[in-house]
Structure formats: C-alpha cells, structure tokens
Amino acid sequence: QVQLVESGGGLVQPGDSLRLSCAASERISSSYTVGWFRQAPGKEREFVAVIRFSAGTSHYGDSVKGRFTISRNNAKDSVFLQMNSLKTEDTAVYYCGAGRNLIWSSIWDPSRYGYWGQGTQVTVSS
C-alpha cells in the first residue's frame, strides 16, 4: 500500500514560484499514474497535472498549462510540481494522488485514485 506525503506549500505573492514534493513510501511501479489535484474552500477537488510512470508522459489542466510542470525523480519514489507565475486563483490545498492501471480518459477523475496524501496549503496573496 503506497503512502504519500506532500510538502513545499506556503504563502507567496502573485508571480512567485513554488515547488511541491510528493514522497512515496516505496518505489512507484510503472502501473501507477500519479496526479496533483487541488481543492479550494467550498469547491470540488480539481485536476492539476498527472504523470504516467510507465512512459513518463504528462498532462495538465487548462488553468495551469504553461505555468506548472510535473516531474518525477530517477528513483521513482517522488513526484514534483513546479509552479511558476502563481496567481491568487491558485490558492488551494494541493493533494498528491496515486492510482493503478488508470485508463487515460479517467485521469481527471479524483475518484479513480486509490491513494492520497494529507495535502499541503498553497496561498497566493499580495
């Protein structure tokens, strides 16, 4: 059973950058897809970015495309989210999720991910 721990959140100003980390309790196998989601108060959990461990391919939500980059380390036990040009609307709790054998059409759906971290708060404010 994979355990995930997010870190790297904080309070920043608009235009700043942050790098979030998601550390897994074990090496993540190629059958997994790991995604970043975020949830603002009163809103549903929103898809941010995903990386498929089998091929290293990634995909992004429209609201973060061109500003955020998802990556993994060579040991395949951590996933990162580099967030640049942050906006106030990026404020949310960011969660890392992992799911096995996900079909590509389902990667946007948080209910498909069986493992979640506790989340890390990102606040973008002037």
Side-chain angles (χ1 to χ4, degrees), residues 8-21:
L11 172 63
V12 297
Q13 295 185 337
D16 284 352
S17 298
L18 271 179
R19 187 181 192 230
L20 304 184
S21 298

Side-chain angles (χ1 to χ4, degrees), residues 4-69:
L4 305 171
V5 178
E6 303 96 334
S7 62
L11 172 63
V12 297
Q13 295 185 337
D16 284 352
S17 298
L18 271 179
R19 187 181 192 230
L20 304 184
S21 298
C22 172
S25 55
E26 60 191 56
R27 179 184 175 99
I28 301 173
S29 78
S30 60
S31 65
Y32 278 91
T33 297
V34 177
W36 284 98
F37 291 76
R38 64 188 183 187
Q39 189 163 18
K43 294 188 177 181
E44 294 186 351
R45 194 164 291 193
E46 175 191 12
F47 170 76
V48 175
V50 69
I51 187 165
R52 179 159 288 201
F53 267 61
S54 57
T57 51
S58 57
H59 193 78
Y60 300 89
D62 288 342
S63 62
V64 306
K65 203 171 293 183
R67 299 188 297 124
F68 291 10
T69 303

Side-chain angles (χ1 to χ4, degrees), residues 4 31-37 45-47 50-52 96-116:
L4 305 171
S31 65
Y32 278 91
T33 297
V34 177
W36 284 98
F37 291 76
R45 194 164 291 193
E46 175 191 12
F47 170 76
V50 69
I51 187 165
R52 179 159 288 201
C96 173
R100 291 190 66 183
N101 301 321
L102 299 188
I103 59 174
W104 198 239
S105 61
S106 70
I107 61 169
W108 294 269
D109 183 357
S111 70
R112 301 293 184 171
Y113 293 74
Y115 305 100
W116 291 95

